[in-house]
Amino acid sequence: MERSPLSEAILEIISSIPSGKVATYGQIAELAGNKKAARLVVWLLNSSSDKHDLPWHRVINRLGKISLETGYELQKEMLQLEGVQFGKNDVIDLNKYGWVSFDQEK
DNA sequence: ATAGTGACTATAG
DNA sequence: GCTATAGCCACTA
């Protein structure tokens, strides 16, 4: 499925996310080389998440929230099992649990 | 080849 | 703060 180098890079990055941390789409896209390929990340997760054993639950939007509507509860649960704590609005503190937090990434 | 799709993001009003 | 729009990438039909 990884026909393009970008997809390959993204998959690589996603599988590199350590347990107990989360990453945002834009972040992954940026690390992969195209900071605007967030949608590509989405596509990859949908197309190769279970096929590749990817930690799709560690990928969230830039607000530290899960955009999914289905399976959202499950994803949240999995993250909590890894030690990620959610805020009151189910928001994850990216400065704390972000794989590369916005303050440290640069 | 064109159009539609997708768990996004940034910007403008 | 929210909605609307546009931008971006790769894939599928």
Side-chain angles (χ1 to χ4, degrees):
Chain A
M1 200 53 84
E2 309 79 62
R3 296 165 191 168
S4 62
L6 252 199
S7 307
E8 201 179 317
I10 292 175
L11 289 173
E12 178 76 35
I13 291 168
I14 294 177
S15 24
S16 303
I17 302 175
S19 179
K21 302 267 183 169
V22 294
T24 68
Y25 301 94
Q27 190 125 76
I28 293 172
E30 189 174 1
L31 290 173
N34 291 289
K35 134 183 162 190
K36 318 207 167 128
R39 324 222 42 159
L40 180 47
V41 176
V42 169
W43 172 84
L44 279 171
L45 286 168
N46 273 300
S47 110
S48 332
S49 53
D50 36 300
K51 298 176 186 151
H52 291 259
D53 294 333
L54 295 177
W56 56 274
H57 51 273
R58 300 194 188 132
V59 184
I60 57 184
N61 67 19
R62 83 187 230 355
L63 299 175
K65 252 177 118 182
I66 299 171
S67 309
L68 268 178
E69 318 207 342
T70 333
Y72 158 74
E73 294 291 338
L74 174 63
Q75 175 166 14
K76 178 171 148 196
E77 197 177 330
M78 294 217 276
L79 288 175
Q80 289 182 128
L81 281 173
E82 298 188 340
V84 177
Q85 327 233 169
F86 286 68
K88 226 167 190 184
N89 304 317
D90 295 333
V91 179
I92 297 173
D93 185 345
L94 290 178
N95 281 309
K96 221 169 191 165
Y97 303 106
W99 183 31
V100 227
S101 41
F102 293 95
D103 292 331
Q104 305 172 37
E105 66 175 286
K106 292 188 188 145

